Amino acid sequence: MDNRFFVKLIQNKYVVSDKEANHLLKVRRAKLGDEIIGFTGDGYDYFLTITEILKNEVICKCQKKQINKAYNIDNITVYLAMLKNDALTTAIDNLAELNVKSVKLFKSDYSIAQIDSSKLDKLKYIAMQASKQCERADIMQIDIIDKLDIEKEKSNYDRIFFAYENATDELKAFNANSYAVIIGAEGGFSKKEAEYFSSFATPISLSKTILRAEVACVSAVSSLKAVER
């Protein structure tokens, strides 16, 4: 949505800054008194009026706020093996648009890519931009986790699944409030990894064919959302 911007709450003022301010001023050609919709990542939509325009910032006053229609509808976490650049950015963008709550990246045996702090910041920016486009008011969390620590988090979910090419079971109807799914890298999982994940997560098949990792993400989350409804 072209009238939607990420804002920061600073001393009771809603501030559009950095790249967001540049887009608002140079692309939208905003002026004093214009109305925009802002979001801070807390799940609310803020209906704002521009009150001051500075060199690199736009100051706004809030007229009203309301909970976003998509907030907290889905409680899904994706544990995703680190992928190469294009595949990873595609996966992050798609998962954010699908209203996934968080993505936790891990290094698998077959991961080629490495994720440093600079790359992580870029992924978080992609997630924020995706929130704008799909009109969600929170921002998908992105973190890095050690593969062996995933098991320690299993109690955070009602159900946790492991997408595995050799699995025979598919997702079936169930009652749950929170879900997690583990997705591998371009080369899938090693035998050792498959045994590890199968020890605490339910192996599931997503397709009769082998899916690329970024496609598997969409397939898994779409299936979970369909079952949840």
Side-chain angles (χ1 to χ4, degrees):
M1 185 176 183
D2 198 38
N3 197 41
R4 190 176 185 85
F5 296 87
F6 177 70
V7 301
K8 299 176 182 178
L9 180 58
I10 303 175
Q11 298 180 343
N12 296 320
K13 295 180 180 179
Y14 293 86
V15 181
V16 186
S17 59
D18 302 325
K19 293 181 180 179
E20 291 289 272
N22 183 71
H23 179 74
L24 180 57
L25 295 174
K26 294 186 177 181
V27 178
R28 283 289 317 285
R29 300 185 182 278
K31 59 184 183 298
L32 292 176
D34 283 357
E35 297 180 348
I36 64 172
I37 299 175
F39 69 102
T40 65
D42 64 355
Y44 282 88
D45 290 323
Y46 292 85
F47 295 82
L48 308 173
T49 300
I50 297 175
T51 58
E52 187 176 359
I53 296 177
L54 305 177
K55 183 177 181 181
N56 296 310
E57 292 183 338
V58 178
I59 312 300
C60 301
K61 179 181 179 180
C62 182
Q63 303 300 332
K64 69 172 183 176
K65 71 174 185 177
Q66 66 183 33
I67 194 73
N68 182 269
K69 61 185 178 181
Y71 185 60
N72 271 343
I73 290 179
D74 305 308
N75 191 353
I76 300 173
T77 293
V78 175
Y79 291 93
L80 177 61
M82 294 179 182
L83 308 175
K84 292 183 290 187
N85 284 341
D86 289 346
L88 184 57
T89 54
T90 297
I92 292 299
D93 185 68
N94 289 338
L95 292 175
E97 292 188 24
L98 284 169
N99 210 32
V100 166
K101 182 178 180 181
S102 66
V103 171
K104 299 193 177 187
L105 302 169
F106 65 93
K107 181 78 172 178
S108 74
D109 289 346
Y110 296 151
S111 289
I112 299 174
Q114 295 281 354
I115 306 298
D116 57 18
S117 59
S118 176
K119 179 62 176 178
L120 186 61
D121 287 342
K122 291 179 181 178
L123 294 175
K124 290 180 178 179
Y125 180 74
I126 290 170
M128 185 272 286
Q129 290 294 312
S131 288
K132 287 176 56 177
Q133 295 300 318
C134 69
E135 298 187 21
R136 63 184 284 185
D138 61 327
I139 300 173
M140 183 177 73
Q141 299 296 307
I142 306 174
D143 299 293
I144 296 175
I145 188 173
D146 188 276
K147 175 176 60 180
L148 298 180
D149 288 335
I150 297 177
E151 182 179 9
K152 299 175 184 178
E153 298 189 351
K154 65 180 181 180
S155 61
N156 294 340
Y157 314 104
D158 295 327
R159 299 294 297 266
I160 181 167
F161 299 96
F162 159 45
Y164 186 42
E165 61 192 55
N166 294 329
T168 56
D169 293 334
E170 298 179 355
L171 282 175
K172 297 182 175 65
F174 54 86
N175 293 318
N177 295 315
S178 60
Y179 320 89
V181 61
I182 304 166
I183 304 291
E186 289 87 347
F189 290 112
S190 67
K191 182 178 180 180
K192 184 177 180 180
E193 286 177 323
E195 292 174 350
Y196 164 63
F197 290 126
S198 296
S199 69
F200 62 88
T202 303
I204 56 166
S205 172
L206 298 175
S207 173
K208 301 298 183 183
T209 57
I210 302 298
L211 303 178
R212 289 179 296 180
E214 64 271 33
V215 177
C217 289
V218 174
S219 177
V221 172
S222 297
S223 296
L224 285 173
K225 290 165 70 74
V227 169
E228 183 185 19
R229 298 295 183 266

